[in-house]
Each structure stands twice: as structure tokens, then as C-alpha cells.
Amino acid sequence: GTTISTADNTSQLTLTSTDADNNIGPQIDLRRDSGSPADGDVLGRVRWLMDDDAGNLVESAILQSNIEDASQGTVDAQIQLSTSVANTSTNRISVTSAETVFNEDSKDLDFRVESDINSSAFKMDGANGNIFLNTDTDSSALITAYHHAGKAAGIAFQNSSSGVGTATGFEISMAGTGVAGLIGYVWNYENGDIRFATNNAERMRILGNGGLCINRTDQANSE
């Protein structure tokens, strides 16, 4: 191995490319030239090491790539970023051939997206799994949305298609049991209906022309 050491804050290694075209440069290659590559092999690792306040050497962060599938023509690889949480290496981001996963190790870690005007435009609370939109106020609701910057409170469901019978709605259901409840809007060119259903059957319809149908779908004898 080779160690490059300095006693100040200057760079220990600088790679400079003077190439003037639009191709790659500078470049670092981490090559694992195995004679028998196999699924699961670690391809390379970058580690950040530090001393804690007791002088113990600690892995503070790791960037690592692994082989998922070493088969010729169908090679798959993954890369993951881990950091030390309570002195334990914790997988924070894992990018595989099939998915991108945050918090693979199921720790109490929040996921938050900040906008220009809101520190919690989107937040997933790691402790309880709740999702917050434009707020981070704790709530017993699974999803909590809050209006911000003069916007109206609410959630919009929009369908890009405008064909006859095109529906947009909110569905309540149990896996494998059909629709337990539904609030939906159906577009029919001139007028749109809002429909309410329970037990996988329509119970009430507000017609686009203002009519109200209860336990029926036509306007005859309706309010």
C-alpha cells in the first residue's frame, strides 16, 4: 500500500487532465481483476476514517459497490452508502438493479425534502412511518397535508385523459377484497359526475347538472 500524508489542510492528491475534448477526464478506476468473479463480490470500497474523542479509529462513512449478477451479457451491480449511527454502520442509500432504497436497515431516520419556502415540503417520519406534506407537525394520521404560502389546503387528483368514462378518485379498500369505499369523479365531456360507493357498489351520484341520485344511477325520480 501507499500512504500520502501531510500535516496541513492542503490536498494530498490532485489529478489534472489537460485534455480539451468533451470526453472523460480526470478519472479514477477501481478495478477488481478477479479470475473467478461471483455474485456478491465486493468490487471496491471508499472509507472515511476518524478518531473518536477517546482515540479509537472509527469508520464514519463507506461507499461500496457489489456484484449482483456476474453473468456475461447480463452483469448487474449495486452501490450503497453507509454512515455511522450510534457507532454502528448503517445503510442509508442502496442502489440496486431493481430499486433505490433509503434506510434499508430500518432505523429511526427521517426522510425530508426541502423546498425554497418550506423546510419540510415532504417528510417521512422514521419513527412512525407518517408522511407530512408542507408540515412536520406530528399527527395520528398516516398522511398530513398543510396549505402553505397562500395555497388552498387539500390534495388534487388529476387525470390527464378526458375520454368518456375516465375516472379520477379516492379509493378505500382491503387487499384482495375489492373496493370498500370510493369517492370518484367521472368525466363525460359535457358534465362530470361525482360518485360515492361502499362495499364495491355505487350508493350515491352527484350529476354534473346538479342532480342527486341515491341508490340509483339515473336522474329519474332523483332530487
Side-chain angles (χ1 to χ4, degrees):
T2 301
T3 300
I4 304 174
S5 178
T6 59
D8 51 35
N9 295 319
T10 59
S11 298
Q12 282 74 42
L13 177 65
T14 301
L15 303 180
T16 301
S17 173
T18 59
D19 196 357
D21 61 25
N22 62 354
N23 290 323
I24 299 172
Q27 177 171 295
I28 297 177
D29 290 340
L30 303 181
R31 179 181 179 183
R32 180 159 185 177
D33 192 11
S34 170
S36 56
D39 299 354
D41 285 356
V42 178
L43 292 175
R45 172 182 290 187
V46 178
R47 295 191 300 165
W48 285 262
L49 305 177
M50 59 169 282
D51 292 332
D52 63 17
D53 58 6
N56 301 305
L57 186 63
V58 177
E59 291 182 339
S60 61
I62 298 173
L63 183 64
Q64 177 174 306
S65 180
N66 294 59
I67 298 177
E68 285 188 358
D69 184 354
S71 304
Q72 181 181 5
T74 60
V75 171
D76 292 326
Q78 63 174 267
I79 190 168
Q80 67 182 40
L81 173 65
S82 302
T83 66
S84 180
V85 177
N87 217 46
T88 301
S89 182
T90 302
N91 188 341
R92 308 299 297 268
I93 303 175
S94 182
V95 181
T96 74
S97 60
E99 60 185 357
T100 299
V101 183
F102 295 85
N103 194 22
E104 177 71 39
D105 291 338
S106 301
K107 301 295 185 180
D108 182 4
L109 302 171
D110 297 342
F111 178 83
R112 182 173 61 87
V113 178
E114 185 167 343
S115 70
D116 186 42
I117 58 176
N118 197 316
S119 62
S120 294
F122 176 92
K123 178 182 177 181
M124 193 283 294
D125 191 297
N128 52 39
N130 287 357
I131 296 174
F132 301 93
L133 305 176
N134 288 325
T135 182
D136 59 2
T137 303
D138 191 17
S139 171
S140 58
L142 178 63
I143 301 177
T144 300
Y146 178 75
H147 74 282
H148 190 75
K151 302 292 184 180
I155 300 175
F157 299 89
Q158 181 173 339
N159 195 319
S160 60
S161 176
S162 58
V164 173
T166 300
T168 300
F170 175 76
E171 177 182 311
I172 303 172
S173 62
M174 296 293 290
T177 62
V179 179
L182 173 69
I183 302 174
Y185 172 82
V186 179
W187 172 258
N188 61 3
Y189 288 131
E190 295 181 357
N191 298 300
D193 300 336
I194 296 179
R195 304 178 183 183
F196 299 82
T198 61
N199 196 26
N200 210 22
E202 184 175 337
R203 306 301 181 184
M204 184 174 73
R205 178 181 298 193
I206 302 175
L207 302 176
N209 61 12
L212 176 64
C213 303
I214 299 177
N215 286 328
R216 60 186 307 123
T217 58
D218 55 44
Q219 194 169 3
N221 299 321
S222 62
E223 294 296 335

